Amino acid sequence: MKTLADEMRMSREKLAYLLDSTAAPVATIGLSSWVAFEIGLIANQYQELGIAGQTPSAAATFIQSIPYNVYSILAIAMVGIIVVTQRDFGEMLDAEERAQRTGAVIRDDAQPLQEIKGELGEPVTDDAPLRVFVVPVVALVAVVVGGAATMGYAPGRTFVEMINNTEVATALVWGSFAMVAAGVVVGVGEGLLSLGEAMETILDGFATMLPALSILVLAWSIGAVATALGTGAYVTQFATGVVSPLLVPVVVFVTSAFIAFAIGTSWGTMSIMTPIVIPLAWEIGGNSPQFVAVAIGAMFSGAIFGDNCSPISDTTVLASTFAGSDHIDHVRTQMYYAFTVLLATVVVYLLYGATNLSPLVLLPVGVLTLVGLVYGFSELDARRKDVPAKPAATQASVRGTTGDD
């Protein structure tokens, strides 16, 4: 998409934002290894508290938490709003105005990230057939869905009962292997790589993930220490009678957001917060599994906000890398949008606490809030900077040079 974006005079900062905001927010509620990780955290805490028999399964709890993962849902909606309205504000407005006016998709003294290209080398071809991409993805989805359904199926079981009795983590392992295997078969079959080159590429890809995995292992250690020290019980004892159940989603969301921004990893934040959030929600919510799902959704929301904003987040770095954007420029331009989504998320959580309405009612309110904020902020910023809030026309070619193509 980089070449197409350049032809349309889209700034690299905008491209990095689109990549970043359709990465972690989608992965945390969609079909991904993130889901298996999140379900595992819930299951471990249920076992630690001894409440596994009093609640739905960890997988069912995760599914119930999805509508309350408000930040992730609204972050995806924000992308659609920005794309459809073509309105920008903050430093993104400056970047887009520069790109549309001069054709310079990156600023003159920018330093685009290209570490992945340096580590893995150039792509073996620029015109591979579409099936090289499609076949591995289809293999991933088909094996994960088919594997989960097979393990959870039994005559007479309802859909929820199937979820309660399946092993999502196992299905994702199968799917990951199937995706890699399909990629190797297609790549070798199309003559793009030899078998040896394919295996070397896989090992090199594993190597690029080692820093992120090291951070994750350390975060798991913090989570284990928090569990062993009874941090969740201590916070619950302190908060009971002080924090109103109406404010728990907001408190959990803001706390998780702060931690994720500071440490730069949503997975690490989830590992740290789960031993605290689930006991807190279970006690304050009157042993209500539904309230636990709400708190878990708020925790995931905060973790993804920090993931979007933190300059040391792996997904933020990768978005800058693959978009060819200056990393700090990406962080600075995206932060305006992330905080806008944060405001709308807080509104939704406060409305939920005050009304206890279904998220199916409150999420549209959040989207409308986003639309209003985008129009308001874009108009105010455009007037302040004396530039159009919306580009008059999209250009068909780039007059400037990007320096990396």
Side-chain angles (χ1 to χ4, degrees):
M1 300 303 295
K2 189 191 298 183
T3 301
L4 179 60
D6 287 350
E7 291 177 356
M8 302 299 293
R9 290 193 176 187
M10 177 189 291
S11 67
R12 292 288 177 82
E13 293 93 328
K14 173 66 77 65
L15 179 60
Y17 161 70
L18 297 178
L19 290 176
D20 206 349
S21 292
T22 52
V26 175
T28 197
I29 60 176
L31 192 70
S32 72
S33 56
W34 291 45
V35 173
F37 172 75
E38 292 161 349
I39 291 174
L41 290 176
I42 298 169
N44 289 340
Q45 197 57 39
Y46 278 0
Q47 292 176 0
E48 289 286 342
L49 294 174
I51 61 174
Q54 306 174 53
T55 63
S57 71
T61 300
F62 169 78
I63 292 176
Q64 292 173 358
S65 76
I66 290 176
Y68 300 100
N69 192 342
V70 177
Y71 179 85
S72 296
I73 295 172
L74 293 186
I76 300 168
M78 181 73 168
V79 171
I81 294 169
I82 292 295
V83 169
V84 171
T85 64
Q86 298 185 45
R87 287 178 171 268
D88 293 293
F89 54 91
E91 295 190 39
M92 188 71 80
L93 177 60
D94 300 332
E96 283 294 280
E97 196 274 335
R98 178 203 68 222
Q100 290 293 321
R101 178 172 51 84
T102 68
V105 296
I106 56 176
R107 60 183 174 85
D108 293 338
D109 55 347
Q111 298 179 350
L113 287 182
Q114 295 292 342
E115 281 86 350
I116 297 298
K117 184 181 290 186
E119 293 175 3
L120 299 183
E122 295 286 344
V124 294
T125 180
D126 290 328
D127 57 353
L130 187 60
R131 58 181 171 272
V132 174
F133 167 76
V134 172
V135 171
V137 174
V138 170
L140 169 66
V141 175
V143 171
V144 170
V145 174
T150 300
M151 286 186 288
Y153 174 78
R157 278 183 180 171
T158 65
F159 177 72
V160 173
E161 290 172 339
M162 289 173 62
I163 294 173
N164 287 339
N165 289 276
T166 193
E167 294 287 341
V168 178
T170 301
L172 281 162
V173 172
W174 294 351
S176 299
F177 178 81
M179 179 184 67
V180 174
V184 171
V185 170
V186 173
V188 174
E190 293 288 341
L192 302 176
L193 294 167
S194 67
L195 182 59
E197 290 171 335
M199 298 310 298
E200 289 178 3
T201 301
I202 292 172
L203 294 176
D204 290 341
F206 288 163
T208 64
M209 295 303 298
L210 286 178
L213 291 175
S214 299
I215 294 173
L216 181 58
V217 169
L218 294 174
W220 274 337
S221 301
I222 296 175
V225 170
T227 300
L229 292 176
T231 306
Y234 171 77
V235 173
T236 299
Q237 182 180 7
F238 176 79
T240 301
V242 177
V243 178
S244 166
L246 303 179
L247 295 177
V248 167
V250 175
V251 172
V252 170
F253 170 64
V254 173
T255 304
S256 299
F258 176 79
I259 293 174
F261 180 82
I263 67 176
T265 165
S266 55
W267 281 28
T269 301
M270 295 170 192
S271 297
I272 294 169
M273 289 294 293
T274 300
I276 300 173
V277 169
I278 292 181
L280 177 68
W282 182 254
E283 182 67 27
I284 292 181
N287 298 350
S288 168
Q290 177 64 26
F291 194 74
V292 172
V294 174
I296 289 172
M299 175 186 66
F300 291 159
S301 279
I304 299 304
F305 167 81
D307 201 288
N308 274 171
C309 286
S310 177
I312 58 175
S313 164
D314 53 356
T315 53
T316 305
V317 172
L318 287 174
S320 300
T321 299
F322 287 110
S325 168
D326 182 288
H327 182 53
I328 299 303
D329 288 349
H330 167 46
V331 173
R332 291 171 61 179
T333 52
Q334 177 167 269
M335 195 170 291
Y336 290 88
Y337 293 172
F339 272 93
T340 301
V341 179
L342 179 142
L343 291 175
T345 300
V346 170
V347 168
V348 172
Y349 283 140
L350 289 176
L351 287 175
Y352 173 79
T355 65
N356 203 30
L357 289 172
S358 166
L360 298 179
V361 175
L362 295 178
L363 285 173
V365 174
V367 173
L368 291 176
T369 302
L370 277 181
V371 172
L373 290 173
V374 168
Y375 271 86
F377 289 157
S378 62
E379 286 292 338
L380 289 173
D381 206 29
R383 291 175 185 175
R384 183 174 67 88
K385 297 174 180 176
D386 194 24
V387 297
K390 180 178 178 181
T394 302
Q395 304 296 325
S397 61
V398 179
R399 288 196 296 268
T401 57
T402 63
D404 65 342
D405 294 325

